[in-house]
Amino acid sequence: MRRRLIYTLISLFIASIMQAQPNPVSWSTSTSPEGDGITNVVFTASIQQGWHMYDMGPYEGGPNPTVFTFKPSAGIELVGPVECISQPVRKFEDMFGMEIGYFEGSASFAQKVRAKDGSVLKANVEWMCCNDSGCIPPSDEDFEIRISAASAASDNVADTPAAAPASRRSSAPLWSIVLQAMFWGLVALATPCVFPMVPMTVSYFIKGSEDKKAGRFRAFMYGLFIVLLYTLPIAVIIIATRIIGGEAVTSDIFNWFATHWLPNIIFFIVFMIFAASFFGFFEITLPSRLVNGSDSKSDRKGLGGIFFMALTLVLVSFSCTGPIVGTVLIKSTSGEFWAPMVTMLAFSVAFALPFTLLALFPSWLKRLPKSGGWLNTVKVSLGFIEIALGFKFLSVADQTYQWGILGRKLYLAIWLVCFTLLGLYLLGVIRFPSDGPRPDKDSASGKSGRRIKPLRLTCALASFAFVLYMIPGLWGAPLKALSGYLPPAEHMKVNNHFYDFEEAQAYAEKVDKPLFIEFSGLGCVNCREMEAKVLSYIDIRKALDNHFVVVTLYGDDKTKAPRSRWVRTEQGKLLKTVGQINSYMMRRKFGISAQPYYVIMGYGHLIADPHPYDLNIQNFCRFIDDALAEFERCQEEERDNERK
């Protein structure tokens, strides 16, 4: 024992001197087809002369062996363990009191995988190398190896849910958010702050319309500047945080915005203020000096004038587009690195497109409706919608901090009131200060001179229909169409349901059942959709109830964990809340950062490829069935081992 301690101290001393030197081991990879859809992935280590690297061991109480770790990846199935291709030199080490294997010059290792074309194998290798003077600390390297069509027969795994492409994880929700962003970008055009800017845009571009080629270029640049003014600020923030602190910092910032009580309460208050402004109780405007300064510079010739023209539009329209932009960004913060930038780009393109087209074809202005009372109707209607959306932020804070002040029924009641009042407003039953005086009755007929137009009546009926749809929710109806917006109903009632990973894992081993892990979030929109539309499906519910031990781990739960469960990260940060600990375990153990995500374990390892957000019930059923089949196979192996 004393000799090992002395050896370790000497090695650490020498390592402190060697750390400035390049690592004596470099790695390369290659792939080759094996047939039957199997690809052989080879990892080759090139070892500098005079150094040796230890083999795969294991060595209890000895040196660090070479260890390969593979992260869960959609479309990738490991076939057997890592095999050592090179023959190690074996030698009895007096220092460790055991025979040790090591490589000199080079070493190759192989891992067979069954993969779909285009899938990415994510691996990490950790190794330790020494020379005659001592050893350097263990090093590691990450690999992302794309399996191409030349080395993967994708038709052999096409029917396996584990082989679904990784893009499935985020494409559905991202495209949904992008479409919503484009919709709101077009809606913003009809707001009272934006629509009156249309004639000003047309008149500006008519001045230089003699040169058609130059006019088209000016119109294009005008639209481009609008897009950049909306998109670049959020892109700069994301990229800067990514460069300064890496992906984890960017993720933490957006997670903080999405789940912390402070930004959610601020957004809630801001939305209530904007709603009051939309109702006409007061006007929200930016400082006149800022707007006037931008407007005065728009008279310049060239690109400078076009830029300030676009800046004027963005500033003047802020009081109407601000809440919409806030909603778009918050909805996208649960996505990956690109999601906020892509959704903001989609919003700004949809918003800028009409102005660009009108700049190209000024004659189209004659076909547009004139400004009038309809603009105020749009503004007031948006006020009711702002109130409904604003309570979503309060709900997120309430859920993540477990305050219990805004339950599902109260939230529904608020929405019922909002959309009932919206319907009554559209019918002319209630009015606001911005609507002006009520029209006098027609003197000849004695009837009201105000007639409801077909479009207004249709919108009122749609609002009342929405109210009728929500009413059953007060008595427990699932309201699946709104599952992403409402506070969660009571979580799925299944036997053997835990909220602590270690407790659930211990119980699963005790009763010999697979462990179903649900990575979720109290304020997660996609999680609510999965619960309402997939996990509530009767066959899935029965399977979870009868064949699994279920554990739900919330990544945004702000409840303080018991001191015994606190975790300190590699960077020295102490994690104290339940959500922080769950998120860290999710990233560390499974290499996953998205929510919702579903993992099934048996006998201490994964028995199915992790399943992402996916509203396809058949895919989820196959995911569960494949896991149960694999678990039964593992059970049979365990019984065979016991009989032997």
Side-chain angles (χ1 to χ4, degrees):
M1 182 68 181
R2 180 177 299 176
R3 285 185 300 173
R4 293 184 188 177
L5 178 61
I6 294 173
Y7 176 80
T8 303
L9 292 174
I10 293 173
S11 298
L12 290 174
F13 174 75
I14 296 174
S16 65
I17 300 174
M18 296 178 175
Q19 276 185 347
Q21 301 177 1
N23 195 287
V25 176
S26 60
W27 290 86
S28 61
T29 62
S30 63
T31 60
S32 60
E34 293 285 314
D36 194 28
I38 295 177
T39 299
N40 194 40
V41 182
V42 178
F43 300 83
T44 302
S46 298
I47 308 167
Q48 290 182 10
Q49 186 176 1
W51 292 85
H52 60 269
M53 182 182 78
Y54 293 105
D55 67 0
M56 299 176 66
Y59 301 117
E60 184 67 31
N64 292 71
T66 300
V67 177
F68 287 85
T69 304
F70 297 93
K71 298 180 180 179
S73 301
I76 296 289
E77 177 189 350
L78 302 181
V79 180
V82 177
E83 297 179 358
C84 183
I85 301 176
S86 304
Q87 187 66 32
V89 177
R90 306 201 68 84
K91 180 180 178 182
F92 187 86
E93 291 281 359
D94 293 332
M95 181 65 67
F96 297 112
M98 65 179 73
E99 187 178 72
I100 303 295
Y102 60 87
F103 304 99
E104 294 178 328
S106 66
S108 295
F109 309 84
Q111 172 65 60
K112 289 183 173 61
V113 299
R114 181 174 284 108
K116 188 174 182 180
D117 180 28
S119 300
V120 176
L121 175 66
K122 298 179 180 179
N124 174 273
V125 59
E126 182 178 325
W127 72 93
M128 182 176 179
C129 53
C130 304
N131 60 12
D132 294 337
S133 302
C135 303
I136 63 174
S139 305
D140 75 300
E141 185 170 336
D142 292 319
F143 300 91
E144 290 193 2
I145 305 163
R146 184 170 295 278
I147 309 300
S148 65
S151 60
S154 60
D155 56 334
N156 291 322
V157 293
D159 295 330
T160 305
S167 62
R168 187 184 69 177
R169 168 182 145 184
S170 60
S171 60
L174 179 59
W175 278 111
S176 174
I177 295 171
V178 165
L179 291 176
Q180 292 180 54
M182 296 180 71
F183 168 77
W184 285 112
L186 295 174
V187 168
L189 180 68
T191 59
C193 319
V194 180
F195 194 80
M197 295 290 293
V198 172
M200 185 177 73
T201 297
V202 174
S203 63
Y204 179 84
F205 284 95
I206 284 178
K207 296 176 183 177
S209 60
E210 294 81 9
D211 187 342
K212 292 185 177 181
K213 185 176 180 180
R216 286 194 294 268
F217 175 75
R218 283 156 52 86
F220 171 78
M221 292 305 299
Y222 179 62
L224 178 62
F225 283 138
I226 295 174
V227 171
L228 293 177
L229 286 168
Y230 275 107
T231 307
L232 273 184
I234 187 67
V236 168
I237 293 172
I238 294 174
I239 294 173
T241 56
R242 186 70 167 265
I243 293 174
I244 294 172
E247 181 179 357
V249 173
T250 306
S251 176
D252 287 344
I253 289 175
F254 281 119
N255 182 66
W256 185 84
F257 268 106
T259 63
H260 196 275
W261 69 269
L262 181 59
N264 277 284
I265 294 298
I266 290 175
F267 277 116
F268 168 71
I269 294 173
V270 167
F271 270 56
M272 296 304 107
I273 293 174
F274 272 104
S277 173
F278 285 176
F279 291 150
F281 296 116
F282 54 84
E283 200 69 35
I284 297 177
T285 57
L286 289 176
S288 58
R289 180 180 300 178
L290 181 64
V291 177
N292 293 337
S294 173
D295 188 39
S296 63
K297 294 178 181 179
S298 66
D299 290 333
R300 296 178 179 178
K301 295 182 179 180
L303 291 180
I306 298 173
F307 170 79
F308 283 105
M309 182 70 182
L311 180 61
T312 302
L313 170 65
V314 172
L315 294 176
V316 170
S317 62
F318 169 78
S319 61
C320 288
T321 59
I324 297 175
V325 170
T327 303
V328 168
L329 285 179
I330 290 298
K331 282 184 67 64
S332 67
T333 54
S334 59
E336 292 81 15
F337 170 76
W338 294 102
M341 289 187 282
V342 171
T343 51
M344 199 69 257
L345 177 64
F347 170 86
S348 57
V349 167
F351 178 74
L353 184 60
F355 285 95
T356 305
L357 292 175
L358 287 170
L360 282 169
F361 309 104
S363 61
W364 288 6
L365 180 64
K366 298 176 182 178
R367 304 177 186 178
L368 293 179
K370 303 298 182 182
S371 299
W374 69 272
L375 276 179
N376 187 70
T377 301
V378 171
K379 188 175 183 180
V380 173
S381 299
L382 285 175
F384 286 109
I385 296 174
E386 287 293 311
I387 292 178
L389 293 177
F391 272 93
K392 174 61 180 174
F393 297 106
L394 181 59
S395 174
V396 169
D398 180 63
Q399 292 296 318
T400 55
Y401 286 88
Q402 304 288 298
W403 293 336
I405 61 175
L406 190 60
R408 184 181 178 90
K409 290 185 178 180
L410 178 57
Y411 188 98
L412 265 175
I414 293 171
W415 274 43
L416 285 167
V417 171
C418 283
F419 287 96
T420 299
L421 292 176
L422 173 58
L424 293 174
Y425 170 76
L426 292 172
L427 292 178
V429 177
I430 58 176
R431 298 176 62 79
F432 286 88
S434 57
D435 290 315
R438 185 181 297 276
D440 295 332
K441 290 184 178 181
D442 185 275
S443 56
S445 63
K447 297 180 180 180
S448 173
R450 181 179 179 84
R451 291 186 176 88
I452 300 175
K453 295 182 179 180
L455 179 59
R456 188 167 179 143
L457 178 60
T458 301
C459 292
L461 293 175
S463 184
F464 287 130
F466 186 47
V467 169
L468 291 175
Y469 171 77
M470 290 190 290
I471 288 175
L474 296 174
W475 288 273
L479 303 182
K480 293 184 179 182
L482 296 177
S483 55
Y485 295 91
L486 300 178
E490 188 175 356
H491 205 276
M492 54 181 177
K493 295 180 180 178
V494 296
N495 295 323
N496 309 324
H497 194 175
F498 294 82
Y499 294 90
D500 181 276
F501 176 76
E502 294 179 358
E503 291 179 4
Q505 189 175 38
Y507 186 77
E509 293 174 358
K510 178 182 177 181
V511 299
D512 196 23
K513 286 186 176 182
L515 180 63
F516 179 92
I517 308 172
E518 176 193 16
F519 289 106
S520 185
L522 292 166
C524 170
V525 172
N526 292 343
C527 302
R528 300 292 83 76
E529 286 190 319
M530 285 294 293
E531 291 166 10
K533 300 177 182 178
V534 179
L535 298 182
S536 64
Y537 184 65
I538 187 168
D539 289 345
I540 294 175
R541 181 66 60 87
K542 285 182 178 179
L544 295 176
D545 193 47
N546 297 325
H547 303 296
F548 292 88
V549 174
V550 178
V551 58
T552 300
L553 303 176
Y554 293 114
D556 56 1
D557 189 346
K558 307 300 182 182
T559 305
K560 193 172 183 179
R563 182 178 290 271
S564 60
R565 287 197 57 204
W566 291 1
V567 174
R568 188 174 296 278
T569 67
E570 298 85 349
Q571 293 77 27
K573 182 180 179 181
L574 188 61
L575 308 179
K576 299 181 179 180
T577 69
V578 172
Q580 287 177 328
I581 296 168
N582 288 339
S583 296
Y584 176 75
M585 189 268 286
M586 184 180 179
R587 294 192 302 267
R588 178 80 173 170
K589 192 174 183 68
F590 301 103
I592 298 167
S593 59
Q595 298 170 352
Y597 225 79
Y598 305 93
V599 174
I600 300 180
M601 295 182 64
Y603 296 101
H605 62 272
L606 295 179
I607 57 175
D609 200 44
H611 195 82
Y613 170 87
D614 182 2
L615 298 179
N616 188 306
I617 293 176
Q618 291 182 345
N619 287 344
F620 206 91
C621 288
R622 285 198 295 267
F623 164 62
I624 289 179
D625 291 342
D626 289 349
L628 287 174
E630 177 64 16
F631 186 77
E632 290 176 2
R633 189 190 66 79
C634 293
Q635 274 184 321
E636 191 61 33
E637 285 186 358
E638 288 291 317
R639 295 190 189 102
D640 291 342
N641 292 335
E642 290 176 0
R643 284 194 289 266
K644 293 177 183 178

